Amino acid sequence: MLSNHTQDTDAPPPPDNPHADDGIPKIVPPLPRENRRARELPWRTAFDWLRAGWSDLWRNPLPSLLYGCGLFAVSALIVWALFRFDYGYVLLPALAGFMVIGPLIANGLYEKSRRLETDTATSYLEMIFVKPRSGYQALFMGVLLLCLFLLWMRAAVLIWALFFGIVPFPGTDQIVPMLFVTPTGWAVLFVGSAVGALFAAFSFAISVFAVPMLLTERTDAMSALGISMAMVWNNLPVMLAWGAIVLVLFLLSMLTGFLGLILIFPLLGHATWHAYRAIRGEIAPDGDTERMFIRPA
């Protein structure tokens, strides 16, 4: 028995043994994991969301149309105030910045679509005074989006100053020829559009699903922002199509002098809810929900 024990001890280690004299630890790649945020949806699915939003709009349409009328009235008042107090030079950045805070304004429309899934009627006041499950985190989200909007406004002013210098705004009757006829104006439009597109794309990615998430789930604002961006990135083809639809309809509403917002904004709000439900999947019950950055102790 002693000889057998000695023979076993002196036996060479197996080839895969990392402790072998001339062996290298074997590197094994991690096993593939299912991507829970990728839904593999074709880009045409964006039109299905639009049709579902149209259906929600005309189920008890009065609250949704009143919501659009309220947004139209506020938008017209803001534009009037800009010209009344000689802030017309921020009109174009303000219109572009509307894309930044748009998802937050549509919170009441998400609530109506959510209730329609359970055949529950929603009044106009219930759409205005929504109570998100995330509580004050929804308010924190609003502050973050507002800061992003103000940052874009400041960037627009700096772009103007870089090309035209520190000069008074020439007025709305002269700004159109300056921007569309002169080479400097073309440069301002190009650079401003590029920078504005970056702001719009970033704000769209972090907020398009974050606001509905804070409405329905008990999570924090930073986690909702991160998860929203991850959901957009992992479903890029359909989300690019959806972003293009939102942009085209928003420009169409601008060409109608904001009157199109009465119908288009409720349509986009309801459709965005269906986009969220299609990509997020089943909403978690009262238990813990997914958090990306902050977890309860």
Side-chain angles (χ1 to χ4, degrees), residues 107-211:
N107 215 13
L109 300 167
Y110 307 149
E111 176 67 8
K112 178 189 171 182
S113 290
R114 183 186 71 84
R115 294 192 179 196
L116 284 176
E117 292 180 350
T118 58
D119 294 326
T120 303
T122 308
S123 67
Y124 179 67
L125 291 179
E126 288 173 331
M127 293 173 64
I128 295 296
F129 301 102
V130 180
K131 295 181 179 179
R133 292 195 63 204
S134 58
Y136 70 92
Q137 290 292 329
L139 179 61
F140 182 48
M141 169 71 74
V143 173
L144 292 177
L145 293 180
L146 181 60
C147 290
L148 185 61
F149 173 74
L150 294 177
L151 181 62
W152 158 235
M153 296 290 290
R154 178 53 56 185
V157 173
L158 290 176
I159 291 172
W160 172 271
L162 286 174
F163 284 92
F164 288 104
I166 310 299
V167 295
F169 185 68
T172 55
D173 55 338
Q174 301 179 26
I175 188 61
V176 174
M178 287 179 61
L179 291 178
F180 292 96
V181 176
T182 64
T184 304
W186 297 338
V188 171
L189 288 176
F190 177 78
V191 175
S193 298
V195 175
L198 291 176
F199 272 92
F202 177 73
S203 63
F204 175 79
I206 65 174
S207 63
V208 62
F209 296 136
V211 178

Side-chain angles (χ1 to χ4, degrees), residues 35-50:
N35 190 344
R36 296 184 301 166
R37 298 189 178 95
R39 302 300 178 189
E40 304 297 337
L41 298 174
W43 65 270
R44 298 179 184 85
T45 308
F47 293 98
D48 296 334
W49 300 339
L50 199 63

